[in-house]
Amino acid sequence: MVNTAVHHVRLQINTHSQKHTHIHLLVSLYTCLTGLTWEVRANSRPYHKHKQKKSFLCFHWGRYAVSHYKYSPLTFLPLTLFEQFQRVANLYFLLMVVLQCVPVISSIPWYITIIPLLSVLSARGLKDLANDLVRPPITLCICISITFLRSPLSFNFVFSFSSQADILLLCSSEPHSLCYVETADIDGETNLKYRQALSATHNELTSHPTEEAVSFYVTGVVLCEEPNNRLYTFRGQLHWRRECLLLDHEHILLRGTVLRNTEFAYGLTIYTGADTKILRNCGKLRVKRTQTEKVFNRLVMGIVLSVLLAALLLAIGSGVFSSWVMSNTGVLSALVVNGNPAYTGFLIFWSYIILLSPAMFELIHTVHSLFIGWDMEMYWQPADRPAQARNTSMSEELGQVGYLLSDKTGTLTQNRLLFRQCCIAGEIYGNNKLKPSLIFYIKKHFFLRGQQCPLSRQFLTALALCHTVMAEWKEEAPVYQAASPDEEALVGAARELGWVFLSRTRDFIVVSELGVTRQYQLLALLDFTSQRRCMSVLVREPEGGLKLYCKGADIVILERLQKDCPYQERIERSLELFAQACLRTLCVAVRSVPEASWEQWSKTLAQSAAMATCDRDVLLEKLYDQMERDLQLLGVTAIEDRLQEGVPETIALLKQAGLKVWVLTGDKKETAVNIGYSCKLLDPDTRLLEWHELRLDHFISILVFDGVLLQAEFDQRPEWGATFMSLAEQCQSVLCCRVTPGQKADIVTLVRKHTSSVTMSIGDGANDVNMIKTAHVGVGIAGVEGGQAVQNADFALSQFRFLQRLLLVHGRWSYRRISLFLRYFLFKTCGFALVHIWFGIFNGCSAQSLYETWFIALYTVFYTATPIMLVAFFEQDVSAESSLKWPELYKSGQRQELSSPLMLSLSLLYAVYASLVLFFIPFGVFYDTAVDYQTMAVTVAMAATFTATIEIVLVTRYWTKFNIASVCVSVVLFFICTRITHNPRLFQKSPQDYLFLGTLTHLSAWHFIPVT
Amino acid sequence: GEINKTDQHQYYNEWIFGLEKGSKRIAAMMATSYNAKEEDGHHSGASSHGAAGVVKSKKPDNTAFKQQRLPAWQPILTAGTVLPAFFVIGLIFIPIGIGLYVSSNNIKEFEIDYTGVDISNPCYSCAKNFSWNSTTPCVCSMNFTLEQPFESNVFMYYGLSNFYQNHRRYVKSRDDSQLNGDQSALKNPSKECEPYRTSDGLPIAPCGAIANSLFNDTLELYHIDSNNTRNTIPLVKKGIAWWTDKHVKFRNPGENLTAAFQGTNKPVNWRKPVYELDPSDPDNNGFINEDFIVWMRTAALPTFRKLYRIIQKKSNTTPTLPSGKYVLEITYNYPVLSFDGRKRMILSTISWMGGKNPFLGIAYITVGSICFFLGVVLLIIHHKYDTRSNSADIPN
């Protein structure tokens, strides 16, 4: 652990992620700007020791096996307590306990109040602990790191298979100090990537490969950003031998990456322990709150307010009683205490309403989540992957979804890409009609017609060169590892056609062109970003010429073409043709770059890359623009992405269920519309409304619009959002094309802002993460594109069609169960507690409890908890099959019919009514009789228990054996516990054994009143 | 199929790359690996997890519990089940209510207020001139007439109104350990007893506000027979407390009461110490005095009655209390006028359901009738509007 004491101004760092930058440049010292405040000195233990004293972060020094767990045995208790008391309910309850500990105002013993609190706290604490213990990938790393740490830590050098700190790569065993890594633990992507050392350190260190030498030679200082959570950026400088070398994320091995195919690697640790980027990323999940929870919280607030009001009135009553009655009553006058705080006693009973509900909520949610994971119908055999509820506290939100915003690629489609057709120099190869072994068809065509054409050769060279695929050799054949399936498909297609990509190093790409191995020198790689939507490579051909190969979205490429490019019209026509056939298209273009302009360009690039400020990205983009111009269009590739199984049926079903389905895609409008038709999102009979028609006041059903236009419109007129949404609300479905990830999130925000419905986003790729995080409920499809979407999602599915079951079955059930639970819970606790207000009128507002102390403690936990919990676990109004058969049933959840404030208020009123009955019927019976307080307490307690039980019997519509058992057990438990607490031997001191013969007959009368 | 396909691919590859020499083998191998992957359908998951799947598949168990297919009884509320339920409830409740009401009405009860609020009341002067310090007890007598004879055992109650025995501070102001005969608690009573914990430096036994406010009026009942002579009616003072209270909850601290209560003081309002409550009967003296025990069992509501004495039935032929004139003689010790309270004497017979209280019967009848009425209304609605189909009246 290394740290500078100086924490100056933290520089705002531009977060544009630079994914595959290949720029390693030497920059002189004076360009190194400040703002990089984190300083690491290689092999300088005294320096760091000195610094240690100043920063507690240095605590981790020398302890590489920093636990990835949130809790340690020591910190668990304080941390979990701190977290839990952030909940208002718990805090309120703690306050109650504290008040109860003050003898003057306590109405029931403090230990009885603390039992429920402790159970709440321990239940939640244990759940957190369990969640913490189940963090598999990280645990794995810890073991490995302990075993493989080799070198003394004082050197700051680590030699390991799995890096435990964020490490600056200095050199490795591979040529050019490339270092193959797997980042599955970080982003879930299993393909190989590479990291690369600076050529300066590589050259120096590979000539002295021993460890001693390494530690001897390295005496550099690294200046870099303060620890942050941005996984894909790193900015820093290595000051070494009077040179200032720029560092970016290509040089960094993040904690959790695993080295592959690399014998050894030397590095300099930059961040360790809690400062590593992955740890900074952990635990930052935004806490999502469900609608029901919000309603409930509001209700609790209302209850607290009315409690305060009631307490105030009762306090006044108590005061009046003290001064008027008690002082005149000889026997009571001596008991008048100054400022009798009777109302505080009152609050206790109210605390039981809020009490336990969070803990029970947690438990119910957890069980619902388990059911989701256990569902066989949502298990995807080929990948051995069941559905997963990653956020265990959202299940009932699934029953209320009004808007489904879906990504297209990989979500609706399989994202298993097949190279279907291509158009080279205006000639279309391949035929979409032919299904199997299509590539051979292309091949035949190609060899018959196009082989001699130089454009075709260039086209294929471009496919073989312009990508970021890694080739891994297995059994004498390369296996391609690509971050995006498009690239894999294209490189694979090029290989099929004879242009075999063999390997890549830092500076060279080796390709076998029809059997002739050619080595291209890689000069620059202008990487792909979702903003740029294209990528290029600048290579020097073996013959010496400079070529820029570029591929990208048609709209980007077409505007960068040189004037009067041959075949342009024909290619554009084929583009349309491909789009209509639902194929994904990419344009491929080439440009010969004059040597002079390259030299100039590279110089500027070096300068701007050296700039450490946020302008850098803008400048780089401008530079890239300069290079990617005057392109010559070679052709178009068309890749098919097949629809997933069951997608049309699912969409149709969800639309029947009243969901508004929006598809947000980066594709062209034609492609999107075609996909929309094929997946039944769009109905052939309905009318498509496009952007320019929006202003007309037509009755419309489907809205199709373009993200670019939308963005422009919103920038001009922000108030337009509401208008747009009111229009969109009338539409069956909305199709947004050409949207960027940022816009996807913006659209979700727009929907959230202008409707009260619950929004759900579903996506599979890193570009959907933003949208998934923004929506109320985020669903990640665990597909081909790595695990980022799943990691940020609340639910993970393997197939889009599982969504129907997740929403219509699990969501609907869960919502119903939670609502039933909530309403019953309100009823039972309020009915139970309100009795005290009525009793207060008849005991001088003195907060005397109508129940015995033990009953209060046991009522919520033992007598009434299990039956409603089981209802909340098992209740089904209709079976899963019927839920899917009648999707209209889902609509009640969207309208929040079961958990609306009105329904909850009705439950409250019902509770008031029950409490009136509970108190005033015994009151009438016992008025002016010889019946004493204890008998009345037991009678009312029994009545309350029976009322709660009968109510649950009426609520339950799905009687499993567990339900029946729990109802019986609860009632029996009541009698047993009452008997035990009244045992004379057990309790010589307090309430004794007594008979309540006769009371039993009274009871049945008033249960049936609340019931009917 | 797999092998055939691969062969086919190889054939094509050889055909295509036959022209080129050298890299044929490599190209063919690469091509096959690619195509196999492409045509396979689902590649990544199946291939990478296939090996792991042998060890442990993540496939969920197909159990009724996990698949939420537990066998269950799903009652559906229809008119066919709800309407009979209403009628049955009504039909059960109304007879019970009538039974309760009738038996309550058969109970004979007589009540007389002797607080002495009115000037006409014989106890007016006693009430007015009450003082804690007076040594001579004030006695007043009230005449009353029983219209009907009381047949079985008669229970004599005293009733208090507007007396908040259920006030929180009052209820807590006692020490159960002391009352249970605990020696240490006798000498050092609980803090809850304050301010009736000690007096003159000595601990109070029994401590607390409840004990201090013990009801200490003495009631005596005389029957005036036809000869105008006053016959004392024997009042049994034992058997009025709960058995468990008398034998479990309340115990004297020792056999010799005077010695046992040495070093304690009597409650402030009491005229005599606890060991002189009933000197004649050691089984009814000290903490186990039944009047005391009855008082210590606090009432639930501000208007209450407590059992005072029992008048035993003498023989089967004569009623316990024949109709006629009676005199109630009160030794007036207990002031209630200051807090606008009332004192009453109640004579009552009891039945299987306790004392006279028509409320429960009325409540049952009301509930039963409402159920019945609702049943009828629903039936009418059902017949009138349910002409379409049976599925329409599934609630919820």
PDB file of all heavy atoms in Angstrom, chain B residues 334-345:
ATOM      1  N   TYR B 334     -64.712   4.828  54.350  1.00  0.00           N
ATOM      2  CA  TYR B 334     -64.010   4.994  53.073  1.00  0.00           C
ATOM      3  C   TYR B 334     -64.548   6.205  52.319  1.00  0.00           C
ATOM      4  O   TYR B 334     -65.673   6.196  51.835  1.00  0.00           O
ATOM      5  CB  TYR B 334     -64.216   3.728  52.233  1.00  0.00           C
ATOM      6  CG  TYR B 334     -63.132   3.504  51.212  1.00  0.00           C
ATOM      7  CD1 TYR B 334     -61.856   3.111  51.620  1.00  0.00           C
ATOM      8  CD2 TYR B 334     -63.376   3.688  49.861  1.00  0.00           C
ATOM      9  CE1 TYR B 334     -60.864   2.896  50.699  1.00  0.00           C
ATOM     10  CE2 TYR B 334     -62.380   3.482  48.932  1.00  0.00           C
ATOM     11  CZ  TYR B 334     -61.127   3.079  49.362  1.00  0.00           C
ATOM     12  OH  TYR B 334     -60.132   2.875  48.437  1.00  0.00           O
ATOM     13  N   PRO B 335     -63.730   7.252  52.186  1.00  0.00           N
ATOM     14  CA  PRO B 335     -64.225   8.465  51.540  1.00  0.00           C
ATOM     15  C   PRO B 335     -64.129   8.362  50.015  1.00  0.00           C
ATOM     16  O   PRO B 335     -63.099   7.974  49.487  1.00  0.00           O
ATOM     17  CB  PRO B 335     -63.270   9.531  52.051  1.00  0.00           C
ATOM     18  CG  PRO B 335     -62.002   8.806  52.304  1.00  0.00           C
ATOM     19  CD  PRO B 335     -62.333   7.377  52.614  1.00  0.00           C
ATOM     20  N   VAL B 336     -65.216   8.689  49.334  1.00  0.00           N
ATOM     21  CA  VAL B 336     -65.173   8.699  47.866  1.00  0.00           C
ATOM     22  C   VAL B 336     -65.687  10.003  47.289  1.00  0.00           C
ATOM     23  O   VAL B 336     -65.543  10.264  46.094  1.00  0.00           O
ATOM     24  CB  VAL B 336     -66.009   7.543  47.267  1.00  0.00           C
ATOM     25  CG1 VAL B 336     -65.383   6.193  47.565  1.00  0.00           C
ATOM     26  CG2 VAL B 336     -67.436   7.602  47.755  1.00  0.00           C
ATOM     27  N   LEU B 337     -66.293  10.829  48.119  1.00  0.00           N
ATOM     28  CA  LEU B 337     -66.904  12.048  47.599  1.00  0.00           C
ATOM     29  C   LEU B 337     -65.891  13.000  46.990  1.00  0.00           C
ATOM     30  O   LEU B 337     -66.189  13.722  46.039  1.00  0.00           O
ATOM     31  CB  LEU B 337     -67.682  12.758  48.704  1.00  0.00           C
ATOM     32  CG  LEU B 337     -69.104  12.263  48.894  1.00  0.00           C
ATOM     33  CD1 LEU B 337     -69.802  13.104  49.940  1.00  0.00           C
ATOM     34  CD2 LEU B 337     -69.872  12.316  47.588  1.00  0.00           C
ATOM     35  N   SER B 338     -64.655  12.976  47.523  1.00  0.00           N
ATOM     36  CA  SER B 338     -63.654  13.936  47.042  1.00  0.00           C
ATOM     37  C   SER B 338     -63.408  13.771  45.546  1.00  0.00           C
ATOM     38  O   SER B 338     -63.152  14.737  44.847  1.00  0.00           O
ATOM     39  CB  SER B 338     -62.358  13.752  47.818  1.00  0.00           C
ATOM     40  OG  SER B 338     -61.855  12.456  47.585  1.00  0.00           O
ATOM     41  N   PHE B 339     -63.473  12.571  45.035  1.00  0.00           N
ATOM     42  CA  PHE B 339     -63.263  12.379  43.594  1.00  0.00           C
ATOM     43  C   PHE B 339     -64.551  12.021  42.878  1.00  0.00           C
ATOM     44  O   PHE B 339     -64.541  11.408  41.814  1.00  0.00           O
ATOM     45  CB  PHE B 339     -62.175  11.334  43.320  1.00  0.00           C
ATOM     46  CG  PHE B 339     -62.399   9.995  43.960  1.00  0.00           C
ATOM     47  CD1 PHE B 339     -63.049   8.992  43.275  1.00  0.00           C
ATOM     48  CD2 PHE B 339     -61.945   9.735  45.246  1.00  0.00           C
ATOM     49  CE1 PHE B 339     -63.244   7.750  43.843  1.00  0.00           C
ATOM     50  CE2 PHE B 339     -62.141   8.499  45.816  1.00  0.00           C
ATOM     51  CZ  PHE B 339     -62.795   7.494  45.124  1.00  0.00           C
ATOM     52  N   ASP B 340     -65.673  12.389  43.509  1.00  0.00           N
ATOM     53  CA  ASP B 340     -66.972  12.188  42.878  1.00  0.00           C
ATOM     54  C   ASP B 340     -67.252  10.704  42.637  1.00  0.00           C
ATOM     55  O   ASP B 340     -67.851  10.324  41.643  1.00  0.00           O
ATOM     56  CB  ASP B 340     -67.049  12.968  41.554  1.00  0.00           C
ATOM     57  CG  ASP B 340     -68.490  13.238  41.170  1.00  0.00           C
ATOM     58  OD1 ASP B 340     -69.342  13.220  42.079  1.00  0.00           O
ATOM     59  OD2 ASP B 340     -68.750  13.418  39.969  1.00  0.00           O
ATOM     60  N   GLY B 341     -66.782   9.890  43.549  1.00  0.00           N
ATOM     61  CA  GLY B 341     -67.019   8.453  43.430  1.00  0.00           C
ATOM     62  C   GLY B 341     -68.337   8.070  44.066  1.00  0.00           C
ATOM     63  O   GLY B 341     -69.017   8.868  44.711  1.00  0.00           O
ATOM     64  N   ARG B 342     -68.713   6.822  43.827  1.00  0.00           N
ATOM     65  CA  ARG B 342     -69.942   6.294  44.417  1.00  0.00           C
ATOM     66  C   ARG B 342     -69.626   4.946  45.039  1.00  0.00           C
ATOM     67  O   ARG B 342     -68.778   4.188  44.542  1.00  0.00           O
ATOM     68  CB  ARG B 342     -71.022   6.100  43.335  1.00  0.00           C
ATOM     69  CG  ARG B 342     -71.542   7.377  42.714  1.00  0.00           C
ATOM     70  CD  ARG B 342     -72.426   8.160  43.698  1.00  0.00           C
ATOM     71  NE  ARG B 342     -72.891   9.401  43.095  1.00  0.00           N
ATOM     72  CZ  ARG B 342     -72.178  10.541  43.116  1.00  0.00           C
ATOM     73  NH1 ARG B 342     -70.988  10.579  43.693  1.00  0.00           N
ATOM     74  NH2 ARG B 342     -72.675  11.623  42.563  1.00  0.00           N
ATOM     75  N   LYS B 343     -70.376   4.657  46.154  1.00  0.00           N
ATOM     76  CA  LYS B 343     -70.238   3.352  46.789  1.00  0.00           C
ATOM     77  C   LYS B 343     -71.598   2.674  46.740  1.00  0.00           C
ATOM     78  O   LYS B 343     -72.615   3.293  47.018  1.00  0.00           O
ATOM     79  CB  LYS B 343     -69.774   3.496  48.231  1.00  0.00           C
ATOM     80  CG  LYS B 343     -68.394   4.119  48.371  1.00  0.00           C
ATOM     81  CD  LYS B 343     -67.808   3.905  49.737  1.00  0.00           C
ATOM     82  CE  LYS B 343     -68.472   4.847  50.741  1.00  0.00           C
ATOM     83  NZ  LYS B 343     -67.757   4.832  52.043  1.00  0.00           N
ATOM     84  N   ARG B 344     -71.568   1.421  46.407  1.00  0.00           N
ATOM     85  CA  ARG B 344     -72.835   0.697  46.327  1.00  0.00           C
ATOM     86  C   ARG B 344     -72.684  -0.642  47.010  1.00  0.00           C
ATOM     87  O   ARG B 344     -71.563  -1.179  47.138  1.00  0.00           O
ATOM     88  CB  ARG B 344     -73.210   0.455  44.859  1.00  0.00           C
ATOM     89  CG  ARG B 344     -73.608   1.683  44.083  1.00  0.00           C
ATOM     90  CD  ARG B 344     -73.455   1.443  42.603  1.00  0.00           C
ATOM     91  NE  ARG B 344     -72.055   1.234  42.242  1.00  0.00           N
ATOM     92  CZ  ARG B 344     -71.645   0.343  41.382  1.00  0.00           C
ATOM     93  NH1 ARG B 344     -72.521  -0.431  40.761  1.00  0.00           N
ATOM     94  NH2 ARG B 344     -70.362   0.201  41.121  1.00  0.00           N
ATOM     95  N   MET B 345     -73.805  -1.185  47.446  1.00  0.00           N
ATOM     96  CA  MET B 345     -73.839  -2.559  47.924  1.00  0.00           C
ATOM     97  C   MET B 345     -74.728  -3.309  46.958  1.00  0.00           C
ATOM     98  O   MET B 345     -75.792  -2.838  46.578  1.00  0.00           O
ATOM     99  CB  MET B 345     -74.395  -2.610  49.342  1.00  0.00           C
ATOM    100  CG  MET B 345     -74.252  -3.932  50.049  1.00  0.00           C
ATOM    101  SD  MET B 345     -75.458  -5.171  49.588  1.00  0.00           S
ATOM    102  CE  MET B 345     -76.980  -4.382  50.039  1.00  0.00           C
TER     103      MET B 345
END
